[in-house]
Amino acid sequence: MAEELGFTLFFVLATMFVAWLVLVDRLFATLRTRHVEVFAALGSPSLIVNNSAQNNLAFMRFLLRREDRVLNDPALSKLCRFMVCLFWIYAVFFGIAVISTFVAAPP
């Protein structure tokens, strides 16, 4: 039973991770084309080429502080809202995975 839960949790987390990457790429493209100044302020991030810790922190700060609201872009705000929800749901599932790993570990 615990093994099945582990495989299911892994599949859910992996699927959410791939979805996150797709959404981040879509958000970067939107910022790059419609909000050039904000994109530059975030360090002109990308998934692979310009992916630094500083850019990641700036991006997560932008997302979690809901700085998209001042841009008055309903489509962007909808995407950011969804991404914030996905982030917290992923964090909860990841926490469950970590805790269940320690609980299920043999003594």
Side-chain angles (χ1 to χ4, degrees):
M1 175 83 171
E3 192 172 307
E4 290 175 12
L5 177 63
F7 286 126
T8 303
L9 200 52
F10 175 78
F11 178 75
V12 168
L13 288 172
T15 303
M16 290 174 75
F17 178 73
V18 171
W20 176 261
L21 291 178
V22 170
L23 293 170
V24 167
D25 189 54
R26 185 172 169 197
L27 179 60
F28 286 166
T30 301
L31 289 173
R32 187 181 315 111
T33 57
R34 290 193 283 197
H35 305 285
V36 178
E37 306 84 23
V38 174
F39 186 70
L42 293 175
S44 302
S46 70
L47 284 178
I48 299 171
V49 179
N50 192 13
N51 187 356
S52 68
Q54 183 177 0
N55 288 351
N56 287 331
L57 287 174
F59 167 68
M60 289 307 294
R61 192 177 311 117
F62 170 82
L63 195 63
L64 295 176
R65 289 183 180 173
R66 299 302 318 269
E67 294 176 7
D68 59 280
R69 293 176 179 167
V70 298
L71 300 175
N72 295 321
D73 185 337
L76 178 69
S77 289
K78 184 178 178 180
L79 176 61
C80 288
R81 229 180 2 260
F82 182 76
M83 290 179 71
V84 168
C85 288
L86 182 65
F87 173 80
W88 289 115
I89 291 168
Y90 186 90
V92 167
F93 276 111
F94 185 79
I96 290 169
V98 169
I99 290 168
S100 66
T101 300
F102 288 115
V103 170

